[in-house]
Amino acid sequence: MALPELHRFTLPNGLRVVLAPDRSAPVVGVSVHYDVGFRSEPEGRTGFAHLFEHLMFQGSESLEKLAHFRHVQSSGGTFNGSTHPDYTDYYEVLPSAALERALFLEADRMRAPKLTEENLRNQIDVVKEEIRLNVLNRPYGGFPWILLPPVLFQTFPNAHNGYGDFTDLENATVDDCAAFFDTYYAPGNAVLTVAGDFDPEGAKALVEKHFGDVPARPVPSRPSFAEAPPKGELRAEHTDKHAPMPAIAVGYRIPDPVTEVEGYLAYLVLAGVLTDGDGSRLQQRLVHRDAIVVDVGAGCGLFGPLEARDPDTFSITAIHPPEVTSEQVLAAVDEELLRLAEEGPSEQELAKVTARWVSTMHREHDRLTSRTLGLGSAELLFGRAELLYELPDKLAGITTDEVAAAAKALRPDSRAVLTLKPASGGNE
Amino acid sequence: MSAPTKHRSAEEIGRTELGPRPFPELGEQRAAADLDTVDTTLANGLRVLAVRRSSVPLVEVRLRIPFGDPAASSVGSTHAARAEVLANTILTGTATRSRVDVDTELALVGGELDAVVDPERLALSGNALVSGFETVLDVLRDVLTGATYPADEVERERARLVERIRLARSQPNVIAREALQRHLYGDHPFAKEMPEAEEVAAVTRDEVLALHASAVLPRGSVVVVVGDVAPDAAVRAVEAALGGWTGEGTAVALSPLSPVRGGDVLFVHRPGAVQSQIRLAGRGLERTDDRYPALQLANLVFGGFFSSRLVENIREDKGYTYSARSHPEFTPGGATLLVDADTASEVTAAALLETRYELGRLGLVPPTESEVDTARRYAIGSLLTATSSQGGLASFLMNLAGLGLGVEWFTGHPGRLADVTVEQVTEVALEFFAPTAFTGVLVGDAELLTPQLRALGGVTLP
C-alpha cells in the first residue's frame, strides 16, 4: 500500500502534531489524544477519566456552556470524544472551510476549560444515564469489557471498572477535576492530528496560531501498569438479570504491542483465523458443526486491536443456549486451539485474513473519523502514526508458524474464564 | 485526588491573561467534485446506479429487492418467518459453491457479502478490493439464480434464528420498537419486523425455495455500485453478471401505511427496569414533498442533533438522559417523525413532560433565524461528511433508490435547504410538532412509574 503523505512537528510547549493531507473530499478531521485513560484513575475515583471527558465539552474561558456543540454543528460538523484504558480522545469532522474553527475549539479547551460545580453535577447525572443505558438496563451490558478485566488482572489500574461505580462518581469534586486537568491535560501530554482537505503549510500556521500560546506544563511520567500473567486458570461467575442465555468470555494475556509488535500481530491474525467469516475455525466448529453457540467472536484488545499499551487482552466470547454447558464450549475452543498449535493454519487461511485486513484498513481510512483517530492513537501509543498504513504489510508478513505459536501460548493454565448466567438460569 | 501535589484551582484554570478570544470565521469552502454517475435499467428490469469515488481501491455493492408481504395483514401470514430464514440461508450454498466456498472466495479478494431482510426489502450488501469486483458480482449472480438452500443449513440456521430472536427480544430498544410498531400500525406487515420463534421453527426448505422463486426478482430491484471503477464499466460488469437473472413479475413493494395520528402514549411494563424507553411518533413528510426541507430543519431544531432544544433541555440542563433524539423514518408511501429518549425511572415522567413541552414550544415559540441557520448549516455539512466515504455514499444512495430517487436528489438537496425560510419552518413546526399530533409507547417498570404517569396524563396505563 502506498504510504500517504504525513507531516509531523512538535510545538515549543510540547504538543505533538500529525498532519495527513488528502484532497479527495472537501472535509477535514481534527483530533486531540491525551495520554491519560482510566488506568490512571486513583482508587476511589473509578470512572473519573470518562466523567472528565464529559466536562471538557462544557465551556471554556472563550465559550459559554453549549457553545462548543453549536459552533461545531453550525459549521456543518460532527464531534465526539471517548475514554480508553490509556488515552482520551476528542474530535471534530467538518467541511474543510471550518478547519480553523476546529483548531480554535480544541486549543481553547486545552488552554482554559471552565470546570464548574453546576456542570459537574449535571454531567454526573448524564454519565449515570449512560451507564444505565449501556450496562445496568441492558442484557450483556459491559460484557466482557467491564466484567473480564477484574478476573484476568490483579492490580487496581488494570482490573477496575472504567465506567465507574455510582458512589465514586457522586463523590467527584471540582477540585479533583482541577487536579486531573493540571496533571494530565498538559500540551506535552497530547497529540493533535489533522487529516483531510487542507494545505500543510497553511494548517501548520493555524496550529501555531491557536495552540502556540497554550503554556507548557510538566508532563507526568507514566507509571508502569505491568503485571505478571496468571499463574493458573482464574474463574469467576457473573449473574445478569436481563440476559436470556448464558455466555462465556475467556481472556488471555498477549505480547506488548509497543516492544513486540510482530508478536502482537500474530494474535490479530489468529483472531481472524478463529472467528472471521463462515469458514473460520470457531465459526465452523461451534456454530455450524457442533451448533452449540449462537455467536462467537475473538479479538485483541477489549476496545479493539492496538488501542492500548501493555498489558492487553486477547478474548474469545460466545453466547450459548442453557442446555449447553460452558465446559462444552471451552473444551471445543481448547481443541481447536490445540489443533492450530500443532498443525498451524493453512497458507490459504492466512491469505484470507490478510486480504480482508487490507480491505478493512482501506475502508477505515476512507472514513475520515476513523482515519483521524487511528493516526492520533498510533502516534500517541506507539509514537508512529504511520503504523496505521504499515499494518497490512506487517500482517501479510506473519507466518503460519507464528500463528501456531500464538495459538499454543493461549494456555488453559494461564487465563481468565468468566461465565455469565441469566438470573432465571436461562429457562423462561 | 492524590496524583498532583500542587495544582491550580478550577477558577485559575478557566482564566488567562489575554481573556476570551474571538471565534474564527469560516474559510473558503471547496466544492465537492462532481459525481461521475450512470443510472440505468437493464433488460431484465433491474435498475443499476453506479457512481465513481476513487478515494480507496475498493468497491461497495448494494442490492435492494423489494420484499413485502403480499398479504394485507400479518395475521396468519408466515411471510416474515420465511423471509427471515431465506435471508439467513441464501448465502449457504449453490450448485458450485458451499457456504465455506462463498466465504473463502470473497475473503481472498478482501470481500464480504451479507443478506438481511426487513418488512420492506431484502438487502444484499457487499464490498471488496476493486480487483475483486467481478468475484463479488459472480457470487451474487450465483446465489440469486441458483441458491440451493441445503437442508442441513436450513435446519441449523432455523434453530439459531430462534435463539437470536430470543436474544434480540431481551434488548430494551427492541422491546420498545416492537411495541411502538404494533401501536402505530397494528397488523400491517410493516409492523412485523421480527417473526415469532414458533413461526420460524415451522418454516420448511420447500417454502424457502418457493419464496425465492416467487419474490427474489430483478424487476423493481436496484443495484448500487460505488467505488474506484468507471460507472460505464460498472454497469457493464453488473449486466454481464446479473443480466441473466430473470423471473416472472415485479418484486413486491409493501402497501402504503395510514399516516400516524396523535393520541395517548401506551405504557408497556418491563419488570425490574432501571431505565425507561420513551418512544413518541407523529406524521412526517416524504423526501419529495415540497415542505420536506423545512420539516427537516424543524426536526433538527427540535431534537435532530446535539444543539437542539430537546437535548439542551433534558440532557444538558436537567441530566435526565444520555441520549435524546428525533428523526424521520421513511415508510411505504409516507414518513413518520420519531422521538426517542431513555431515562432513569425516577425522572421518566418528568422527561416525558419536558418532551411534550418542547413539542408544544416548537410551534408556539417558533425557531429563530439563528436556530434555523445552525440547523441548515449542519444539514448541508453533515450530508457532505456522511457521504464522503464510499460506504457512506453507497448506503445513502441505496436508501434514496428505495424511494425511487437518484443522485440528482442528493446533489440538489443543499440548494433546497439553502432556500428554506424561517416562515416555512415555523409553519411546519406548528403543524407537525404539535403535542396532539404525537402518540407512542413508554417501556418501564410500572411499579415505579404509575403514580407520576397517572398524574401527568395522556398515558394509557395497565
Side-chain angles (χ1 to χ4, degrees):
Chain A
M1 203 188 306
L3 209 66
E5 193 183 340
L6 277 185
H7 305 257
R8 50 154 73 76
F9 55 94
T10 303
L11 295 185
N13 60 16
L15 179 69
R16 287 156 285 170
V17 184
V18 176
L19 304 179
D22 160 32
R23 315 299 298 254
S24 69
V27 289
V28 69
V30 171
S31 70
V32 178
H33 286 71
Y34 291 94
D35 200 335
V36 60
F38 47 75
R39 272 179 181 156
S40 296
E41 292 162 354
E43 300 203 30
R45 284 290 178 276
T46 59
F48 192 84
H50 171 243
L51 173 62
F52 190 82
E53 172 217 316
H54 277 243
L55 278 175
M56 287 293 283
F57 285 96
Q58 297 291 318
S60 62
E61 181 179 42
S62 303
L63 300 174
E64 60 181 11
K65 180 179 162 87
L66 303 178
H68 184 100
F69 309 121
R70 286 184 194 145
H71 281 313
V72 175
Q73 297 195 312
S74 73
S75 307
T78 54
F79 63 87
N80 214 335
S82 69
T83 310
H84 294 237
D86 291 328
Y87 69 84
T88 306
D89 65 36
Y90 301 86
Y91 68 86
E92 297 83 32
V93 172
L94 332 85
S96 35
L99 171 61
E100 184 173 4
R101 290 184 162 189
L103 294 171
F104 173 94
L105 290 166
E106 288 303 339
D108 194 54
R109 61 175 158 192
M110 181 184 286
R111 186 187 300 113
K114 264 217 169 71
L115 307 168
T116 70
E117 182 67 25
E118 185 196 340
N119 289 339
L120 175 62
R121 292 302 134 202
N122 174 266
Q123 291 303 312
I124 288 171
D125 285 344
V126 170
V127 166
K128 284 162 70 179
E129 287 303 317
E130 183 179 353
I131 295 170
R132 288 189 181 103
L133 180 74
N134 292 332
V135 183
L136 302 176
N137 200 47
R138 170 182 291 185
Y140 311 101
F143 176 81
W145 78 273
I146 293 173
L147 300 170
L148 189 57
V151 193
L152 182 63
F153 296 107
Q154 316 303 314
T155 61
F156 176 82
N158 297 321
H160 79 271
N161 175 358
Y163 248 155
D165 68 49
F166 282 10
T167 314
D168 282 359
L169 289 170
E170 281 157 7
N171 285 338
T173 68
V174 170
D175 199 53
D176 290 338
C177 299
F180 198 78
F181 179 80
D182 254 5
T183 309
Y184 294 114
Y185 278 68
N189 208 35
V191 169
L192 167 70
T193 308
V194 186
D197 179 32
F198 59 87
D199 148 60
E201 281 310 308
K204 187 172 185 222
L206 289 175
V207 168
E208 284 164 349
K209 174 179 168 189
H210 291 287
F211 289 87
D213 74 339
V214 180
R217 291 200 304 281
V219 172
S221 58
R222 191 177 181 277
S224 166
F225 297 120
E227 59 172 283
K231 290 213 168 27
E233 186 179 75
L234 303 165
R235 294 254 181 169
E237 189 177 300
H238 171 78
T239 302
D240 184 329
K241 68 173 177 173
H242 301 297
M245 278 182 225
I248 182 169
V250 191
Y252 306 86
R253 292 283 302 275
I254 38 177
D256 182 342
V258 176
T259 58
E260 299 170 72
V261 69
E262 275 79 16
Y264 183 98
L265 294 179
Y267 287 86
L268 200 49
V269 174
L270 175 63
V273 169
L274 288 175
T275 60
D276 188 6
D278 278 348
S280 62
R281 297 278 175 127
L282 291 182
Q283 294 285 348
Q284 270 298 303
R285 171 71 190 267
L286 298 175
V287 179
H288 304 300
R289 200 187 98 193
D290 295 357
I292 56 174
V293 306
V294 185
D295 266 312
V296 60
C300 290
L302 297 172
F303 281 70
L306 298 167
E307 286 296 327
R309 299 187 180 101
D310 184 64
D312 204 2
T313 306
F314 186 89
S315 68
I316 300 174
T317 56
I319 296 180
H320 58 91
E323 45 294 358
V324 172
T325 65
S326 51
E327 294 310 314
Q328 274 173 275
V329 178
L330 210 48
V333 167
D334 282 338
E335 252 181 61
E336 292 304 322
L337 286 173
L338 185 64
R339 200 187 318 275
L340 268 175
E342 283 171 355
E343 300 162 10
S346 70
E347 291 292 345
Q348 193 188 58
E349 281 177 290
L350 291 199
K352 279 163 58 182
V353 172
T354 305
R356 275 208 167 120
W357 262 104
V358 171
S359 178
T360 299
M361 295 307 299
H362 280 308
R363 203 163 293 113
E364 296 246 317
H365 297 168
D366 197 30
R367 281 193 302 265
L368 188 54
T369 309
S370 327
R371 191 193 328 155
T372 310
L373 292 177
L375 290 167
S377 64
E379 182 72 12
L380 184 90
L381 295 174
F382 311 112
R384 302 197 69 243
E386 53 272 66
L387 180 63
L388 203 65
Y389 299 116
E390 296 166 359
L391 271 183
D393 278 351
K394 283 189 187 297
L395 285 163
I398 302 294
T399 65
T400 55
D401 285 350
E402 286 165 330
V403 176
K408 191 175 179 187
L410 298 183
R411 298 157 55 102
D413 63 0
S414 181
R415 70 178 173 196
V417 178
L418 170 75
T419 50
L420 179 146
K421 303 279 182 218
S424 63
N427 299 306
E428 286 159 316
Chain B
M1 191 165 274
S2 60
T5 48
K6 191 171 180 307
H7 63 85
R8 293 176 292 169
S9 70
E11 276 191 3
E12 288 165 334
I13 286 170
R15 210 168 40 222
T16 65
E17 251 177 60
L18 194 64
R21 292 154 205 246
F23 189 63
E25 291 302 311
L26 286 175
E28 200 64 36
Q29 182 60 41
R30 193 167 66 83
D34 283 338
L35 293 172
D36 185 5
T37 169
V38 173
D39 193 341
T40 186
T41 302
L42 306 182
N44 62 359
L46 177 67
R47 180 177 165 201
V48 185
L49 175 52
V51 179
R52 176 166 206 156
R53 247 199 78 79
S54 44
S55 44
V56 283
L58 299 176
V59 62
E60 297 278 346
V61 180
R62 306 273 189 280
L63 168 63
R64 180 189 196 277
I65 305 172
F67 219 66
D69 187 343
S73 162
S74 62
V75 174
S77 167
T78 57
H79 175 81
R82 288 181 293 137
E84 201 63 66
V85 177
L86 180 145
N88 281 276
T89 49
I90 190 168
L91 293 164
T92 62
T94 67
T96 55
R97 289 177 170 108
S98 70
R99 177 179 203 142
V100 172
D101 293 336
V102 167
D103 181 57
T104 302
E105 276 189 57
L106 290 170
L108 290 171
V109 295
E112 51 197 5
L113 194 57
D114 288 311
V116 292
V117 72
D118 67 22
E120 285 195 88
R121 90 284 184 276
L122 174 69
L124 286 120
S125 305
N127 53 57
L129 292 165
V130 71
S131 52
F133 183 33
E134 288 187 6
T135 304
V136 175
L137 289 177
D138 192 60
V139 172
L140 204 52
R141 171 201 60 77
D142 202 13
V143 299
L144 290 171
T145 60
T148 50
Y149 300 96
D152 56 337
E153 294 284 3
V154 170
E155 193 179 325
R156 254 197 322 272
E157 285 304 322
R158 206 170 46 200
R160 193 165 159 229
L161 207 44
V162 167
E163 288 160 347
R164 285 161 62 182
I165 288 170
R166 196 168 150 211
L167 281 177
R169 288 216 168 101
S170 68
Q171 295 288 346
N173 61 337
V174 174
I175 295 169
R177 172 73 183 181
E178 289 203 296
L180 179 69
Q181 296 299 88
R182 266 195 311 276
H183 179 65
L184 297 179
Y185 309 117
D187 294 331
H188 192 288
F190 183 72
K192 191 165 180 176
E193 294 182 342
M194 208 185 291
E196 298 306 322
E198 55 272 26
E199 293 171 338
V200 167
V203 172
T204 67
R205 173 173 177 265
D206 285 348
E207 285 172 336
V208 178
L209 281 164
L211 181 63
H212 186 115
S214 68
V216 178
L217 300 171
R219 191 167 304 279
S221 300
V222 56
V223 170
V224 172
V225 177
V226 176
D228 188 10
V229 52
D232 285 333
V235 171
R236 279 197 302 276
V238 171
E239 185 161 29
L242 304 184
W245 172 31
T246 53
E248 293 289 316
T250 302
V252 177
L254 264 187
S255 57
L257 292 167
S258 321
V260 172
R261 295 172 56 181
D264 281 0
V265 169
L266 178 70
F267 186 83
V268 178
H269 179 45
R270 181 169 178 256
V274 299
Q275 201 178 41
S276 315
Q277 285 67 51
I278 299 172
R279 302 286 185 266
L280 305 184
R283 183 169 78 93
L285 290 169
E286 291 180 277
R287 281 192 195 270
T288 46
D289 193 294
D290 286 345
R291 294 189 297 167
Y292 172 73
L295 187 69
Q296 187 188 353
L297 297 185
N299 174 65
L300 285 169
V301 172
F302 173 74
F305 66 152
F306 206 96
S307 304
S308 63
R309 291 180 176 190
L310 183 68
V311 176
E312 291 187 358
N313 180 344
I314 70 173
R315 173 176 155 135
E316 292 300 299
D317 183 45
K318 304 200 172 66
Y320 290 165
T321 186
Y322 174 62
S323 72
R325 64 175 195 139
S326 66
H327 54 110
E329 176 174 79
F330 300 99
T331 59
T336 304
L337 287 171
L338 298 171
V339 182
D340 305 350
D342 291 34
T343 66
S345 300
E346 308 84 73
V347 297
T348 296
L352 179 60
L353 172 68
E354 293 297 333
T355 304
R356 285 178 177 162
Y357 163 77
E358 292 295 351
L359 285 171
R361 195 164 73 93
L362 197 75
L364 304 176
V365 185
T368 62
E369 185 90 41
S370 143
E371 283 180 302
V372 170
D373 278 343
T374 294
R376 189 196 322 268
R377 286 197 295 264
Y378 176 77
I380 295 170
S382 60
L383 186 64
L384 191 64
T385 53
T387 55
S388 68
S389 69
Q390 292 176 354
L393 183 60
S395 296
F396 189 81
L397 292 177
M398 183 80 269
N399 289 335
L400 285 185
L403 303 166
L405 303 173
V407 171
E408 64 295 337
W409 190 93
F410 168 65
T411 50
H413 199 53
R416 286 192 291 275
L417 287 165
D419 291 342
V420 174
T421 65
V422 174
E423 289 67 36
Q424 289 167 331
V425 177
T426 301
E427 189 192 308
V428 294
L430 184 62
E431 179 179 345
F432 288 88
F433 284 86
T436 48
F438 280 77
T439 180
V441 299
L442 200 163
V443 182
D445 192 320
E447 215 168 294
L448 299 168
L449 298 176
T450 300
Q452 291 87 349
L453 291 175
R454 181 167 290 134
L456 184 62
V459 180
T460 308
L461 291 159

